Amino acid sequence: MSALARRLGNVYPGWWLAVHTSISLGLVAGVTFWGFGLFVAPWEDEFGWSRATTSGAISLTLLMSGLASPIVGRLVDRFQPRPVLAVGSAATVVTYLLLSQMHTLWQFFVLLAVLAFFRAWVFYIPLTTLITRWFVKRRATAMGIATSGFGLGGLAFLPIVSLCVSSLGWRETFVVAAALVVAINGTFLLFFGNGPSDRWRSVYLSPESSRAASSDAGLFALDTLKSVLTSRVFWLMSMGFALFFCAQWAFLFHAIPYFENRGVSSEHAAFVLSGAAGLGVALRLSAGVLIDRVRRYEVLAVAVVLTMAAALALIAMGVTVVYLLAFVLFWGIGSGFGPLLEPMLVTRMFGREKYASVYGAIDGVDTIVAISGPWIGGLLFDASHSYIPVLVLYAGLFVAGAVAFLGVAAVVQGAKVRSAEPAALARAA
């Protein structure tokens, strides 16, 4: 055996899991979030659908994902992540192939709804659950690598989608996406289990300190899922992330049409978004190392959400090179830290035992609240023929999300986390 092979054999497999999780998340995000705006113009040209119709369909997909998320969370906790990923991957492949053959509006709505329902089966809930099960020590670092996949979707998969749509056509692009799901998720399911082997279990699953053990148990002593779902901190966290993702997802749907409306070509718009995504990936990789040393995730969340609001304010003022570069910087910072904070906050507040169920419930709230974002944006544009009111709306949602995270910080501070007994924390929740 060569020296290189021996060194690779001594690398904890969880790190390869984190990298592959990033790639799998990137594919889903690249096609269904970052790149979905690339399909809008071809659909409108071929079928004559309005902007409100296409954005309304996206709102339907958010409803379906929101309804699926709590179900997926419970399924993951009961049956483990891999079976859920296998079913979701197969359903996604079939739906992509059917989308490539659609011709009517009802087919469009039904297939997008099915795709959205199974998106939750191959997205954050099962994949981040695997990270929590493979890591205790250096979990935030691993989570940073894994969740960088959302940014990778914009950095790597968005240009691929853009190239496929422009050179092959939108129908053929869905066939390519189906083939990528088979290759990427099939490899993932083949090589990675629900947890590490006994050889590695004592290395990365044994808390290295009392702080790690405390983090794994959660700050709030809430023994049942019902007590979690009725706590103040759960709903404040849910609304903070719901408003964050509502504005982020809705803007990503309208981003390329917005830039085109301001005179920027779709290729240059995709380049700008790819730049922001690339910065987000780079920051996400380093953010995990930082967050491993941070105690107050909710305070960091306030700053991150306000940064996203600032990014939208900048491009509302103009699309010159200076404004676009500033947008890339601010949006990259927000997209770098934002999605990483959600799984880390869930684990920090409520522990690992019921992670998938709690995360699924929060993700369900996130997604259902986000339903109206793309649709209202489409209505505002159709009514005003301008995207400025749309940007003002989304920036306001980011600010409201920051207020919700301030509420989480107040609950944690009021509970005097550093010195309170678990029972006191349960009462404060």
Side-chain angles (χ1 to χ4, degrees), residues 66-153:
L67 294 175
S69 291
I71 299 172
V72 171
R74 297 303 295 273
L75 289 174
V76 167
D77 276 340
R78 182 172 181 181
F79 297 108
Q80 306 295 327
R82 289 181 77 251
V84 173
L85 284 167
V87 173
S89 298
T92 299
V93 169
V94 171
T95 307
Y96 278 155
L97 294 176
L98 291 174
L99 275 168
S100 73
Q101 301 301 313
M102 74 168 183
H103 293 280
T104 64
L105 186 61
W106 74 264
Q107 292 172 340
F108 175 62
F109 273 84
V110 169
L111 290 173
L112 282 191
V114 172
L115 181 66
F117 182 82
F118 284 103
R119 180 172 61 206
W121 296 55
V122 295
F123 211 45
Y124 277 109
I125 297 169
L127 292 173
T128 61
T129 299
L130 284 172
I131 297 298
T132 67
R133 295 186 179 185
W134 278 74
F135 288 88
V136 170
K137 184 171 67 175
R138 301 181 67 186
R139 177 181 293 152
T141 302
M143 196 71 78
I145 295 171
T147 57
S148 67
F150 191 89
L152 185 67

Side-chain angles (χ1 to χ4, degrees), residues 220-243:
F220 294 97
L222 301 170
D223 297 329
T224 65
L225 183 60
K226 180 179 179 180
S227 63
V228 171
L229 300 182
T230 55
S231 65
R232 281 185 293 161
V233 71
F234 170 85
W235 285 104
L236 286 168
M237 280 177 54
S238 296
M239 291 311 300
F241 284 115
L243 293 166

Side-chain angles (χ1 to χ4, degrees), residues 42 55 70 75 99 110 141 149 159 168 183 189 191 266 319-320 326 344 346 426:
S55 56
L75 289 174
L99 275 168
V110 169
T141 302
L168 300 177
L189 292 166
F191 286 102
S266 61
V319 291
T320 63
M344 294 307 300
V346 171

Side-chain angles (χ1 to χ4, degrees), residues 28 150 162 205 248 265 372 397 405 408:
V28 177
F150 191 89
S162 177
L205 290 187
Q248 184 187 43
S265 69
S372 61
L397 293 178
F405 286 122
V408 175

Side-chain angles (χ1 to χ4, degrees), residues 158-228:
L158 173 60
I160 293 173
V161 174
S162 177
L163 178 63
C164 288
V165 171
S166 61
S167 61
L168 300 177
W170 68 267
R171 295 183 184 276
E172 293 75 9
T173 299
F174 281 116
V175 177
V176 172
L180 288 173
V181 171
V182 172
I184 293 172
N185 285 15
T187 304
F188 187 94
L189 292 166
L190 182 63
F191 286 102
F192 298 107
N194 291 306
S197 65
D198 292 338
R199 173 192 174 190
W200 298 103
R201 192 172 298 275
S202 62
V203 179
Y204 276 84
L205 290 187
S206 296
E208 60 181 344
S209 66
S210 59
R211 174 179 171 181
S214 173
S215 176
D216 221 35
L219 291 175
F220 294 97
L222 301 170
D223 297 329
T224 65
L225 183 60
K226 180 179 179 180
S227 63
V228 171

Side-chain angles (χ1 to χ4, degrees), residues 219 295-303 341 345 349 405-406 408-410 412-413:
L219 291 175
R295 300 283 292 181
R296 301 297 300 274
Y297 300 151
E298 69 281 359
V299 176
L300 181 59
V302 173
L341 286 170
L345 261 173
M349 297 296 171
F405 286 122
L406 284 173
V408 175
V412 173
Q413 186 64 32

